Amino acid sequence: MNTMPFRLPPWMLVLLALTVLIPTGCAQDTRTEAQRVADARTSIEKLRYREAIIEMRNLLLNNSRNSEARLLLGEALLALGDFATAQKEAERARDLGAPPERYAEMLARALQGTGNHVEVLSEIRTIDIENEELVSTLKALRARSMLEIGSIDRAVASFNEELDAAKSVEARRIALMGLASIAANEEDFEQAESLNLQAIELAPGVPETVLALGRVYLKQEKYQHARDLLARARTEEIRARREDWFFLEAQYIEALLGLNDLEGAREATRSLVAIGHDHPMALYLQGRVAFDAGNNDRAIDYFQQVLASYPNYSPAHALMGIAMIQLEDFDQAEMHLANAVINNPDNARARRLLAETRLRMGRDKAAVRTLSDGLSLDDTNTDLLTMLGRARLRGGDQSAGLDNLEEAYRRTPDSVQAGLALASAYLSSGDSLRAISVLRSLPEKALSDERRSILIRVAQLDNNNQARAERQIESLLVDAPNDRYVIGLAGSFYAAINKLDEARKLFRKLLADSPGNRSAMLNILNLDERIDDYTESRALFEAAHAEDASDLLPTLVLARIYEATGDSARSLEMIKIANSNDPSALLPNLMLASQALRDRDYKAAEEFTAIAVKEYPASARAHALHGFALMYRNQTSEARMSFQRAVVLSPETIQYRYFLGRSALASGQFFLARSSFATVIRNDDNHLPARRSMGVLQANAGKTIQADKLVDDIEENFGKNRPALVAVGEIRAAQGKALEAIEAFEAAQALGPSWAVAQALFTVRKAHELDDPTQTLVGWQQRFPEDSRPQLKIAQYHHEQGDHVRAIREYEHLLNIDPNSIIAHNNLAWLTFQRNQSGDQTRAIELARTAFELSDESPGVADTYGWLLFQTGQIDDSRHVLRDAFDQVTATGSPEIAFHYASVLAHDGAWTTAQSVLENALRTEGRFPSRRAAQSLLDTITVDRE
């Protein structure tokens, strides 16, 4: 339905204007402009800035050239933090002739507020100002801008100059704060604290200085000092300045949280929310309060809201990661902690947690990389060094791992964590004597006697003597029958020596003592997998799922169990349940994407992976699957970028690098493709696809010798199996050696039918114009009559050859096999319309409409339908269809669609728009079928308009 925009009649607009301009229920304002300016100044002195703003704006409605009103308006706006508008008012006052003494300081502060520090240095001059105090203040402000743009030496010299001159209290305050800022950036917090205290003594109560000192206190974890300072500053005066009040309250809450005063922090957040309920800092601090109170779900909700606005805010990512660890959602924990580290590489705690998470996930190499990067920034961090040793041991680098752990323990011999890690490493290497030595050397108060005894006895387990080790395990169970650590250790030991019944009993005991223990349930699952009988684990996880259907872990484990037991339908159902419970969770989206790729539903795969890469930008697998989906949808450049991200995140995964090469090759990035394939071949001698792709690349580049060598290598190393023969065929085809390519492909086909090889044979024969290139397709069609793919290729071939009679017959046959073929409906519609026999127009419209409906209104199919409607005089229907098709493309990218839409526009008399569309379409360098008709239409429009 066409609707016109609603407009008021002119008489009503006049009436509304009069209603706005004529005061109702009160007398006219009889004050002079001077009196109104004086009243505004009084409002500012009483911190009633909004009153002053209203007053001056009303005055300026009547006299926009009152510079004094501009200055007062700018002063009030500046006080409320509206720097951009304050800057405009200062500039207007300057343009109206106000002296520099009146506007210069305001303009400088407004420019600094908007971050225009270069303009401060270029615009703010002191040469024409006689007031020495103001000159000193302006010089200090200029020095602050020097500092902001990185001219630190000049800034320091200027700050010291104003401190020595002592002509302006404000200049000295700014100088002290500037020097304090430099000290804080250099982590000299004591100096920063001292300088900020001096600034406060000079000018007590200035919010900017109070906040600067508060930040320094919080950096040093002097929470008591920060709380006392900020509590004194929470006055009515600071509340008049809303932005200052907001950040002061935020710092106050951080101080209370540092002192573990949760109740006080919770009360203070109410004040913060009242000032700015949707400000990310308010949301983050509410999340902090919830997190510290142990309410992870509520905390996560707040942090997600913060990250929606500020996706790179490291503190929110860090706490989200910790919350996810506590919820045992390690995929999400890894994603958030990786973001925290990327955005703040110096955050050692986030880095340590990220490495720990990756170790739990079995991503040992990634953990090593995370920790090594951290130690390159701070090689004194013993915690990172200890974890690096553990990670290297897990990854199989025994020597380097032990070196790291020994060095960490040497640096901190009183560290229980470093000692236990080293003792564990000695145990894993079979050096029980050194393990016992370390355990005995730990500080007495670090471990209870019972725990120390248990650990030493564990160290004495003899892995080379199974009977003796088993006796020691039994002794441990007698001495500590209810110790969960001992029970779990014993269960794992029995599982390792293949005494599965004993292991199962112990894990059942853990479950009896601690119902719902995830570790015990997963261990029972592992036992079930070894005997291929999932009865017990299935019952355990089905009960957990029934108890809480929103819990991802049992839902996904059940998907794994159902898949293993052959119930693929129920497995997919569980994955969908997990996805509906948490649409942003990583694993369900990746599992659904993998299923969609198997089903060739590439659009769905792209949608699932798009969510995954948005929510988990640090997941290499998410980016890789996104790349697959994009590649199958012919979005090769985007696919290449996805694979590049996957390689950066997981450089050790060869397959990601191979598909990076594939996508680079498809998008014309030949150097990147060559280097990617070379890296894969260098790291994996048996990677046939990389050799094949490199061979095709070299052949296309005309490097015959290199391509021949790769063929020889493939034949020598892989023999005459089907994949090797296909690889040889593809390289020979790329070299233009048609007969050798056909020989290789036919040899591969002789080993068993393959549709891909059948297509390859058709492609080679067609490219070299050999007799009857469709013979392979016909043979496949006869062998597999229900397969529509060869029929489509045959129909398209005759269509391209101009044999429209044969093409129509083949498309009709294709519709018998695949009634929902969009291409068959679309192409058959066009050919039938062109044939123009009796009833063909009606038949063509029906076919085109069906294609249009089946295709979900894709632009190319919509263009066929719309153009046939136009050709048959159904202008109104064609207008909507062609307009919608054109809206999805560009004129230069789809000139044929542009010409058809322009034809409708010209028919409607929309000459200007039609001319613009046609001009853009004709700018395309490539040929398109209707170029001549489009040029003719453009010429006609141009002549008619002249």
Side-chain angles (χ1 to χ4, degrees):
M1 181 177 67
N2 292 323
T3 58
M4 294 295 291
F6 176 72
R7 293 186 176 89
L8 292 172
W11 62 268
M12 189 171 287
L13 289 172
V14 173
L15 179 59
L16 285 172
L18 290 172
T19 304
V20 171
L21 294 175
I22 298 173
T24 60
C26 63
Q28 291 276 356
D29 192 338
T30 59
R31 291 173 300 162
T32 65
E33 287 190 5
Q35 288 171 327
R36 296 173 73 177
V37 166
D39 288 344
R41 188 175 289 112
T42 300
S43 296
I44 289 174
E45 290 169 357
K46 293 180 179 180
L47 310 180
R48 297 202 291 264
Y49 301 113
R50 286 177 175 75
E51 287 183 11
I53 290 171
I54 293 169
E55 185 76 76
M56 292 300 89
R57 279 181 170 160
N58 283 334
L59 188 157
L60 290 167
L61 283 174
N62 296 322
N63 181 8
S64 62
R65 299 187 60 78
N66 189 318
S67 63
E68 189 65 23
R70 295 280 179 201
L71 290 166
L72 284 175
L73 176 57
E75 185 179 343
L77 290 165
L78 194 64
L80 293 178
D82 187 351
F83 300 112
T85 314
Q87 174 189 333
K88 292 177 183 176
E89 295 303 333
E91 291 170 343
R92 287 166 181 161
R94 177 196 61 192
D95 296 342
L96 289 169
E101 287 85 353
R102 296 300 318 281
Y103 70 79
E105 183 178 350
M106 182 194 305
L107 180 57
R109 291 184 186 276
L111 288 168
Q112 287 182 339
T114 55
N116 292 312
H117 296 284
V118 174
E119 288 190 37
V120 171
L121 299 175
S122 62
E123 297 286 334
I124 305 303
R125 293 280 181 263
T126 59
I127 191 168
D128 297 326
I129 300 175
E130 297 180 0
N131 185 322
E132 289 186 347
E133 186 176 344
L134 176 59
V135 168
S136 183
T137 299
L138 291 174
K139 286 181 177 178
L141 288 170
R142 282 172 53 83
R144 178 188 280 173
S145 287
M146 292 175 196
L147 181 60
E148 291 293 335
I149 65 172
S151 298
I152 297 175
D153 292 341
R154 288 179 60 199
V156 169
S158 189
F159 285 144
N160 287 328
E161 183 182 334
E162 298 316 312
L163 285 172
D164 293 340
K167 292 180 179 178
S168 161
V169 170
E170 178 62 6
R172 288 159 64 199
R173 185 190 72 82
I174 294 169
L176 287 167
M177 285 194 63
L179 294 171
S181 173
I182 294 170
N185 287 336
E186 294 173 351
E187 297 191 358
D188 186 351
F189 295 118
E190 288 186 10
Q191 176 70 355
E193 180 182 335
S194 173
L195 291 166
N196 277 317
L197 281 169
Q198 293 176 54
I200 285 178
E201 288 174 9
L202 271 177
V206 176
E208 180 186 26
T209 317
V210 173
L211 289 167
L213 181 56
R215 281 194 296 273
V216 171
Y217 281 148
L218 292 171
K219 283 277 189 183
Q220 297 178 93
E221 298 184 0
K222 291 184 175 181
Y223 299 119
Q224 188 71 48
H225 286 68
R227 187 190 69 174
D228 294 345
L229 169 74
L230 299 164
R232 289 193 299 271
R234 299 173 82 209
T235 63
E236 289 299 322
E237 182 174 349
I238 201 167
R239 294 186 183 204
R241 301 176 175 88
R242 194 175 186 86
E243 186 171 358
D244 294 334
W245 180 22
F246 180 88
F247 287 107
L248 185 141
E249 290 294 316
Q251 283 192 7
Y252 184 59
I253 293 166
E254 287 195 61
L256 293 171
L257 287 170
L259 294 169
N260 294 315
D261 184 357
L262 274 178
E263 194 52 47
R266 189 178 288 110
E267 182 63 34
T269 55
R270 296 191 183 102
S271 172
L272 192 71
V273 170
I275 309 169
H277 70 93
D278 57 351
H279 192 287
M281 181 60 72
L283 294 167
Y284 169 71
L285 287 171
Q286 288 179 89
R288 276 280 313 272
V289 172
F291 178 83
D292 286 8
N295 190 341
N296 284 326
D297 290 337
R298 190 167 179 79
I300 287 169
D301 181 55
Y302 283 123
F303 295 145
Q304 285 175 335
Q305 293 179 65
V306 174
L307 294 172
S309 301
Y310 289 87
N312 296 325
Y313 189 54
S314 181
H317 277 299
L319 290 182
M320 276 282 278
I322 298 170
M324 291 301 178
I325 289 173
Q326 292 173 358
L327 295 173
E328 298 187 3
D329 189 342
F330 297 116
D331 286 316
Q332 289 215 44
E334 181 191 26
M335 184 272 289
H336 287 292
L337 291 167
N339 270 301
V341 170
I342 289 167
N343 295 317
N344 183 8
D346 294 327
N347 189 334
R349 185 189 184 206
R351 187 178 292 277
R352 191 169 65 249
L353 287 166
L354 173 59
E356 184 68 49
T357 302
R358 285 176 166 168
L359 285 174
R360 291 196 195 188
M361 298 171 74
R363 300 192 61 212
D364 305 324
K365 291 182 180 179
V368 167
R369 193 167 61 249
T370 300
L371 295 163
S372 299
D373 291 346
L375 286 165
S376 69
L377 299 171
D378 178 12
D379 61 3
T380 65
N381 193 311
T382 307
D383 289 341
L384 293 184
L385 189 60
T386 300
M387 288 196 68
L388 178 59
R390 287 174 51 207
R392 280 180 166 153
L393 287 172
R394 286 272 299 269
D397 193 346
Q398 190 82 7
S399 176
L402 272 174
D403 286 346
N404 292 144
L405 293 173
E406 286 171 345
E407 175 62 19
Y409 188 57
R410 186 190 63 76
R411 292 184 191 177
T412 55
D414 293 337
S415 168
V416 177
Q417 180 191 13
L420 289 176
L422 180 56
S424 176
Y426 285 144
L427 279 174
S428 66
S429 64
D431 194 344
S432 57
L433 292 178
R434 294 177 76 180
I436 292 168
S437 175
V438 171
L439 290 168
R440 284 178 172 156
S441 70
L442 291 175
E444 290 184 9
K445 295 182 179 179
L447 292 171
S448 70
D449 291 341
E450 181 184 6
R451 175 60 60 182
R452 187 190 303 274
S453 172
I454 288 173
L455 289 173
I456 289 173
R457 292 176 67 184
V458 170
Q460 291 170 336
L461 283 172
D462 189 348
N463 295 325
N464 295 319
N465 187 326
Q466 181 176 317
R468 183 180 171 190
E470 191 169 353
R471 285 197 300 272
Q472 289 168 335
I473 282 288
E474 290 169 353
S475 176
L476 279 171
L477 287 170
V478 170
D479 291 345
N482 298 315
D483 189 304
R484 291 181 187 174
Y485 172 76
V486 172
I487 295 170
L489 173 71
S492 299
F493 172 80
Y494 284 127
I497 65 172
N498 215 31
K499 289 196 171 185
L500 304 188
D501 291 338
E502 287 84 345
R504 191 179 295 273
K505 288 175 186 176
L506 288 164
F507 293 134
R508 285 173 178 168
K509 179 174 173 55
L510 270 182
L511 276 176
D513 294 340
S514 176
N517 185 303
R518 296 299 172 80
S519 177
M521 291 169 66
L522 290 169
N523 273 301
I524 289 173
L525 171 64
N526 291 333
L527 295 176
D528 284 356
E529 285 180 334
R530 289 169 68 172
I531 62 173
D532 196 24
D533 180 355
Y534 294 85
T535 304
E536 184 171 6
S537 56
R538 175 171 175 162
L540 286 170
F541 283 102
E542 283 181 342
H545 178 66
E547 183 177 340
D548 183 2
S550 65
D551 192 340
L552 284 181
L553 179 65
T555 309
L556 293 174
V557 169
L558 281 174
R560 174 177 157 189
I561 290 172
Y562 293 146
E563 183 68 31
T565 54
D567 195 346
S568 298
R570 288 198 70 185
S571 176
L572 183 58
E573 179 188 345
M574 298 311 291
I575 298 170
K576 289 179 177 178
I577 289 172
N579 183 250
S580 64
N581 286 335
D582 186 355
S584 64
L586 177 64
L587 196 53
N589 275 300
L590 295 187
M591 293 170 80
L592 287 170
S594 298
Q595 183 64 45
L597 287 170
R598 287 194 293 270
D599 294 341
R600 299 181 184 176
D601 188 351
Y602 304 126
K603 183 178 181 182
E606 183 184 355
E607 290 171 355
F608 288 124
T609 54
I611 295 170
V613 297
K614 178 184 176 184
E615 299 292 336
Y616 303 89
S619 170
R621 188 173 172 223
H623 286 291
L625 283 176
H626 194 50
F628 290 134
L630 292 168
M631 207 158 70
Y632 285 123
R633 302 199 75 198
N634 295 318
Q635 299 178 43
T636 53
S637 295
E638 294 84 351
R640 172 177 51 79
M641 289 187 284
S642 287
F643 285 120
Q644 280 179 314
R645 295 188 188 101
V647 167
V648 168
L649 291 165
S650 185
E652 69 275 9
T653 306
I654 291 299
Q655 280 299 89
Y656 296 166
R657 200 172 288 274
Y658 166 67
F659 280 103
L660 170 59
R662 283 276 305 275
S663 57
L665 184 62
S667 58
Q669 301 285 320
F670 301 120
F671 178 80
L672 176 59
R674 189 177 294 109
S675 65
S676 298
F677 295 140
T679 302
V680 175
I681 294 168
R682 189 165 56 250
N683 286 279
D684 185 355
D685 289 337
N686 295 317
H687 202 289
L688 176 61
R691 290 175 181 271
R692 179 201 63 214
S693 298
M694 179 68 94
V696 171
L697 181 61
Q698 300 287 36
N700 287 333
K703 297 184 177 181
T704 303
I705 295 173
Q706 292 90 331
D708 285 344
K709 185 178 183 307
L710 281 161
V711 167
D712 292 341
D713 287 347
I714 291 169
E715 290 178 339
E716 179 181 347
N717 292 306
F718 296 93
K720 295 289 186 179
N721 62 33
R722 184 211 298 262
L725 288 166
V726 171
V728 170
E730 289 185 5
I731 296 171
R732 292 308 190 200
Q735 289 180 296
K737 298 180 178 181
L739 296 180
E740 291 181 45
I742 290 171
E743 181 184 357
F745 286 137
E746 287 182 339
Q749 198 73 327
L751 296 174
S754 164
W755 167 241
V757 176
Q759 286 188 97
L761 282 164
F762 165 69
T763 302
V764 173
R765 289 191 171 109
K766 176 186 171 187
H768 292 272
E769 299 181 352
L770 301 179
D771 291 340
D772 193 11
T774 65
Q775 60 182 271
T776 307
L777 301 177
V778 172
W780 186 273
Q781 184 187 54
Q782 291 170 349
R783 188 166 186 174
F784 304 100
E786 300 302 316
D787 191 344
S788 63
R789 292 173 297 177
Q791 185 61 47
L792 175 60
K793 289 278 185 186
I794 293 167
Q796 288 177 317
Y797 172 74
H798 292 298
H799 192 166
E800 291 166 8
Q801 296 299 308
D803 187 349
H804 292 178
V805 174
R806 179 77 182 273
I808 288 173
R809 185 167 68 248
E810 298 295 347
Y811 280 128
E812 292 282 12
H813 182 46
L814 173 58
L815 286 179
N816 292 330
I817 303 172
D818 182 6
N820 293 322
S821 171
I822 297 168
I823 297 175
H825 280 95
N826 184 77
N827 293 359
L828 188 56
W830 189 252
L831 291 173
T832 302
F833 184 82
Q834 287 184 318
R835 186 174 62 182
N836 199 25
Q837 294 178 4
S838 174
D840 276 352
Q841 285 194 0
T842 302
R843 167 76 169 147
I845 293 293
E846 289 174 355
L847 288 163
R849 182 186 297 111
T850 302
F852 177 65
E853 291 168 350
L854 288 170
S855 72
D856 197 22
E857 305 179 7
S858 75
V861 177
D863 178 57
T864 301
Y865 180 43
W867 187 236
L868 293 184
L869 289 170
F870 182 79
Q871 297 278 71
T872 55
Q874 301 175 63
I875 308 299
D876 288 342
D877 291 336
S878 73
R879 182 185 301 111
H880 299 303
V881 175
L882 289 171
R883 180 182 60 212
D884 289 344
F886 183 73
D887 285 345
Q888 298 179 62
V889 299
T890 62
T892 52
S894 300
E896 192 75 12
I897 296 176
F899 163 61
H900 294 162
Y901 180 52
S903 300
V904 178
L905 291 169
H907 177 276
D908 292 345
W911 308 113
T912 302
T913 306
Q915 181 176 345
S916 174
V917 170
L918 288 166
E919 287 172 346
N920 286 327
L922 290 165
R923 285 194 188 101
T924 185
E925 295 180 2
R927 297 178 59 190
F928 67 96
S930 301
R931 176 180 284 277
R932 189 170 294 176
Q935 184 64 61
S936 176
L937 179 59
L938 177 61
D939 294 342
T940 302
I941 291 172
T942 306
V943 170
D944 289 348
R945 295 191 71 196
E946 290 174 354

